[in-house]
Amino acid sequence: MLLLQIDWSFLLEKSVLILVIVLVSFGVAAYATWGERKVAAIMQDRLGPNRAGFMGLLQPLADGGKLFFKEEIIPEGSTRTIFILGPFLFMVTALMTSAVIPWGPDIHTAAGNVISLQVADINIGILFVFGVVSVGVYGIMLGGWASNNKFSLLSSIRSASQSISYELAMGLSLIALLMMSGSLSMREIAQQQHGFWDGHWLTWNVFKQPLGFFIFMVCAFAELNRAPFDLPECESELNMGYHQEYSSMKLGLYLFAEYINMFISSAVMVTLFWGSYNFPGMDWVAAHTNAIVFALICVIVLMAKITAFILFFMFIRWTLPRFRYDQLMNLGWKGLIPLALFNMVITGAAILWLFNK
Amino acid sequence: MDIQQILFIVLSAIAIGCALGVVFSRNPINSVLFLILTFFAISGHYILLNAQFLAVVNIIVYAGAIMVLFLFVIMLMNLNSDTEPQKNWLVQLAGAISGGILFLVLLSALVSATKTLPVMEQGSNDLGLIKNLGKTLFRDYVLPFEISSVLFLSAMIGAIVIGKKEDKFEDVH
């Protein structure tokens, strides 16, 4: 049947890639929960989970199993469809950003085929990330509202206003980066950071845009609702926050999606600022190994950087106290946005007068 | 029938169905959710027309920011279908007549437009890519672009002035 002309091998390749990325995201998120508890334990001089398996390594499985077998409760006064929709929406938006992240360099096989380790190389990759992030807030908002609980509602409103406020500074901090890269495609930005030293200056964007990276990172913390910006889950004021009324696997999806968000946003930060899959001396490695081994090394390097970021997220969580709500808004609107604008002006001036592009 | 046509039909069906859902649902929250879905379908149409930048900005600005604020207001006011005020039949009649007239105007505009407008070429041009759009905006239309940004700024300042509390004003005296 020639009704639709679809390149089936292309479709198969991308499907496999998507499946692998989703499974890896789940795996990383599961072990991030274990890692978080271990990090917390170390920082508080405790042992942490150590009963299930060696060093408690089976703990995520035990937690998942527990959540699966819990009773599903949908509150009487809730709006049923939206209540169910909330966690799914949150999970889907958490996973969607992974589509534009280049997970490794292209593999040129001996047969002449090129296998790309990126699901979709769209020329507006960064804007796609922003689009998904801005839609991601619906999962929390709808879940919180549909629970018909005042704590949940307050929490979801806090979360939404926080996201909207910090999205602005996040976008502005990236404009300076985009002025230098001249491209919105994640893949091109990754390729521009090739190696480590280009003869004049370090190639990774963080060394060209340190202030931009700092602003972006603070905003990422706020977007993720992570400490020190975890006001939507502030126990002392709001009990559990927006997932107060959720139980069983719906609660599991909310908790889990948070860790997936952390993984993906670490990947975005690494791709944009910390050199993506590039590492010092990669040309030498590429010349001395075959394409598949080289790509594998690149993926491992990327994963190592992402892991470092996730650990950093955890250290921050167990070190800094939570912001107050007015402090949060002041920091976003009066601190980060002017700083990002200033960074933009400086970058523009530098490009115009110093590099004269 | 190629894949673009199928996509066009599916997207149009979603857009029209969701737009009808906005009008007919009794619960304002459902209306807002249908409106968000409508924006997504329209973004899909933009992508079919190769206007990727427009599609993503439509999602970021409308679906991501403006509709969140809509949802905010409706959630805080706790509007429900039973709290909806009952309008009398005169208002309903007036609404139906004015809406019908608007529909006629749009319909006539649409009918005349199909005769005069050239058929949009699909898939081959890169008119909507961000590079070309930026060049057009900042070269050919730079003055209207900047003026509209000043307009937005003045609207923002106006909102802040209106929203500001009066008590600080008294301290000055």
Side-chain angles (χ1 to χ4, degrees):
Chain A
M1 196 170 73
L2 272 171
L3 182 70
L4 294 174
Q5 286 179 327
I6 295 173
D7 189 352
W8 289 105
S9 63
F10 175 78
L11 206 64
L12 187 73
E13 182 194 315
K14 292 298 179 196
S15 309
V16 169
L17 188 63
I18 291 169
L19 193 69
V20 169
I21 289 172
V22 168
L23 288 180
V24 167
S25 304
F26 277 123
V28 170
Y31 276 92
T33 61
W34 172 82
E36 175 124 79
R37 294 170 69 175
K38 275 289 183 194
V39 167
I42 292 164
M43 299 196 92
Q44 295 167 349
D45 207 9
R46 293 186 282 118
L47 283 176
N50 63 351
R51 295 288 142 176
F54 174 67
M55 283 175 66
L57 272 173
L58 294 176
Q59 190 68 38
L61 290 179
D63 284 342
K66 185 197 79 174
L67 281 171
F68 256 117
F69 291 112
K70 286 255 176 151
E71 190 191 349
E72 284 261 18
I73 299 168
I74 295 177
E76 191 81 349
S78 65
T79 314
R80 208 184 144 82
T81 35
I82 297 177
F83 186 79
I84 296 171
L85 189 71
F88 291 100
L89 210 59
F90 196 48
M91 193 54 145
V92 168
T93 47
L95 284 169
M96 244 159 78
T97 319
S98 64
V100 292
I101 294 170
W103 297 96
D106 291 348
I107 303 170
H108 296 271
T109 56
N113 297 326
V114 178
I115 301 170
S116 170
L117 290 181
Q118 184 184 18
V119 176
D121 177 32
I122 47 179
N123 57 15
I124 42 165
I126 293 175
L127 286 177
F128 176 85
V129 173
F130 274 100
V132 174
V133 166
S134 65
V135 173
V137 71
Y138 284 116
I140 293 178
M141 267 195 105
L142 292 176
W145 175 79
S147 306
N148 196 19
N149 179 322
K150 290 288 181 273
F151 287 125
S152 306
L153 180 65
L154 278 175
S155 158
S156 61
I157 283 169
R158 272 189 181 185
S159 159
S161 49
Q162 181 177 327
S163 288
I164 291 179
S165 310
Y166 278 77
E167 247 165 54
L168 290 173
M170 201 178 202
L172 287 175
S173 73
L174 269 190
I175 287 178
L177 174 71
L178 298 180
M179 282 177 358
M180 298 181 67
S181 70
S183 168
L184 281 166
S185 155
M186 300 280 263
R187 181 187 156 115
E188 263 180 51
I189 290 175
Q191 282 168 352
Q192 280 170 2
Q193 304 176 63
H194 183 82
F196 192 66
W197 181 263
D198 66 352
H200 305 286
W201 189 240
L202 303 163
T203 53
W204 294 1
N205 280 330
V206 66
F207 300 111
K208 299 171 182 168
Q209 282 288 336
L211 187 59
F213 168 68
F214 173 73
I215 298 166
F216 189 84
M217 192 185 63
V218 173
C219 295
F221 274 99
E223 292 283 329
L224 287 170
N225 297 325
R226 286 284 298 187
F229 304 109
D230 58 344
L231 287 137
E233 292 170 59
C234 176
E235 301 91 351
S236 49
E237 296 165 23
L238 294 170
N239 295 342
M240 285 264 287
Y242 54 88
H243 47 61
Q244 170 116 41
E245 299 287 344
Y246 282 92
S247 60
S248 183
M249 213 48 212
K250 291 204 204 62
L251 174 68
L253 279 181
Y254 267 126
L255 299 178
F256 215 58
E258 202 184 307
Y259 284 93
I260 289 183
N261 265 331
M262 198 161 93
F263 170 60
I264 301 287
S265 63
S266 299
V268 170
M269 276 196 281
V270 169
T271 307
L272 292 180
F273 288 98
W274 283 88
S276 190
Y277 48 77
N278 301 300
F279 55 94
M282 63 189 296
D283 288 324
W284 184 85
V285 176
H288 286 76
T289 51
N290 71 20
I292 294 172
V293 175
F294 174 66
L296 211 63
I297 293 171
C298 286
V299 173
I300 290 169
V301 167
L302 179 68
M303 283 298 176
K305 289 178 184 173
I306 291 172
T307 312
F309 258 103
I310 292 177
L311 280 175
F312 180 67
F313 270 109
M314 289 169 184
F315 292 150
I316 291 284
R317 172 166 178 184
W318 298 104
T319 317
L320 290 183
R322 185 180 288 133
F323 275 69
R324 222 169 50 218
Y325 193 70
D326 59 322
Q327 290 171 333
L328 172 96
M329 285 296 157
N330 274 340
L331 178 70
W333 287 97
K334 295 178 188 165
L336 293 178
I337 290 179
L339 206 61
L341 285 172
F342 172 73
N343 187 35
M344 224 167 90
V345 172
I346 292 286
T347 310
I351 289 173
L352 187 63
W353 285 308
L354 289 182
F355 300 102
N356 206 10
K357 277 187 195 168
Chain B
M1 206 155 64
D2 60 351
I3 194 148
Q4 278 199 334
Q5 272 175 311
I6 295 174
L7 282 175
F8 175 78
I9 292 167
V10 171
L11 283 173
S12 307
I14 295 173
I16 293 170
C18 292
L20 289 175
V22 176
V23 184
F24 286 120
S25 42
R26 305 289 291 175
N27 189 340
I29 295 271
N30 287 348
S31 288
V32 170
L33 294 181
F34 275 124
L35 195 53
I36 294 164
L37 282 179
T38 316
F39 283 135
F40 271 95
I42 289 170
S43 278
H45 279 298
Y46 287 147
I47 290 173
L48 278 187
L49 292 170
N50 247 333
Q52 300 170 350
F53 178 71
L54 204 56
V56 171
V57 167
N58 187 39
I59 287 179
I60 295 175
V61 174
Y62 283 93
I66 292 180
M67 294 322 284
V68 169
L69 296 178
F70 265 57
L71 213 56
F72 236 72
V73 174
I74 291 171
M75 281 176 180
L76 283 176
M77 282 161 65
N78 205 13
L79 292 173
N80 283 317
S81 44
D82 35 287
T83 54
E84 193 185 355
Q86 292 296 314
K87 299 174 188 80
N88 66 27
W89 67 273
L90 210 65
V91 177
Q92 285 180 349
L93 188 72
I97 290 173
S98 52
I101 291 170
L102 181 67
F103 180 69
L104 275 182
V105 170
L106 288 178
L107 201 68
S108 66
L110 206 67
V111 168
S112 57
T114 45
K115 285 172 195 159
T116 51
L117 277 180
V119 179
M120 181 72 198
E121 199 179 322
Q122 279 185 338
S124 58
N125 53 22
D126 48 346
L127 195 73
L129 297 187
I130 186 162
K131 212 164 240 168
N132 302 323
L133 193 72
K135 277 179 183 158
T136 315
L137 272 183
F138 286 99
R139 279 188 187 153
D140 304 344
Y141 298 100
V142 71
L143 192 64
F145 183 76
E146 296 296 339
I147 287 176
S148 63
S149 67
V150 171
L151 190 69
F152 277 124
L153 189 67
S154 62
M156 259 163 67
I157 293 170
I160 290 169
V161 168
I162 292 170
K164 217 171 180 184
K165 282 178 192 141
E166 295 271 328
D167 52 8
K168 276 188 187 151
F169 198 69
E170 285 166 12
D171 291 343
V172 180
H173 291 284

